Amino acid sequence: MGIRYQFIPLTLFILLLFSAQTVAQNEVLRERNSLYGIQEFGVSVNIERPLTLNSVPFDVDSVRQLIVNKLNALPVRIIGERDLKRSDQFPLLHLHINIMNDVGGFHPFSAELKFYQPVKLPLNNDIQTMGSTWSDSFIGVVTPDLMNFIAAKSAGLAENFRSDYESVN
């Protein structure tokens, strides 16, 4: 009788482990599925850096173009910047790059790509707003001579977006 009760904690642990994996897998599927039927969206880039970092070998426009180039194969219309500024209701693929102060000759950085689209909040009288429905990110560290790596790797996140988009459309 004592031996049977010893397996209960182990069994519960295994069940919890599998249920946590299922929840994580469902989240990835939800993110992918949120891209179904998207026919147009804009692309925007934001680069945050300390004022003491005087030169960065890339700018918002060049990184935006890298992303657009990676998405050219998709059967979608990329909305131009002028049209994007006219309305806040267009779906938007937004890249945020954060470059931090030099620490011992290295620059820590992070890059996060998010897809925003109009959503309704049913618990709040169907108010429409923008919500992030897909995201991907990474962090890294570079030396000052390898700053271009940040732009290339950040734009590479768009390949993950393209892959997920193609998997559901």
Side-chain angles (χ1 to χ4, degrees):
M1 184 128 128
I3 294 175
R4 280 193 235 164
Y5 290 117
Q6 289 175 351
F7 289 109
I8 291 176
L10 178 62
T11 304
L12 289 174
F13 175 75
I14 291 171
L15 288 173
L16 285 173
L17 182 65
F18 284 121
S19 66
Q21 287 176 345
T22 301
V23 169
Q25 289 172 349
N26 285 340
E27 183 63 30
V28 170
L29 289 174
R30 278 190 210 114
E31 283 191 358
R32 275 190 198 131
N33 289 337
S34 76
L35 303 177
Y36 177 76
I38 300 295
Q39 297 175 355
E40 64 180 5
F41 58 87
V43 175
S44 69
V45 175
N46 173 261
I47 301 172
E48 187 178 351
R49 64 180 175 86
L51 293 175
T52 56
L53 183 59
N54 296 325
S55 65
V56 175
F58 54 87
D59 62 6
V60 167
D61 292 331
S62 64
V63 176
R64 182 184 181 282
Q65 191 57 51
L66 287 171
I67 292 171
V68 169
N69 291 345
K70 295 199 181 285
L71 301 175
N72 275 339
L74 292 180
V76 297
R77 180 176 84 90
I78 303 294
I79 299 168
E81 290 183 68
R82 189 175 1 171
D83 290 335
L84 270 180
K85 290 178 182 177
R86 289 186 193 154
S87 173
D88 63 351
Q89 294 302 306
F90 288 117
L92 179 68
L93 186 63
H94 177 73
L95 174 65
H96 179 81
I97 298 173
N98 185 7
I99 306 169
M100 291 155 239
N101 274 324
D102 182 350
V103 179
F106 297 98
H107 288 283
F109 70 93
S110 65
E112 183 172 31
L113 185 66
K114 288 187 172 187
F115 187 71
Y116 293 93
Q117 56 184 307
V119 295
K120 281 189 178 184
L121 304 176
L123 297 178
N124 200 1
N125 295 326
D126 284 339
I127 288 179
Q128 189 162 331
T129 187
M130 295 295 277
S132 171
T133 61
W134 181 96
S135 67
D136 196 3
S137 63
F138 71 93
I139 59 173
V141 177
V142 294
T143 55
D145 60 322
L146 294 176
M147 290 290 250
N148 275 326
F149 174 80
I150 296 172
K153 185 71 173 165
S154 297
L157 291 171
E159 293 174 3
N160 297 340
F161 176 83
R162 185 184 72 219
S163 175
D164 282 354
Y165 180 91
E166 291 173 335
S167 73
V168 295
N169 285 289

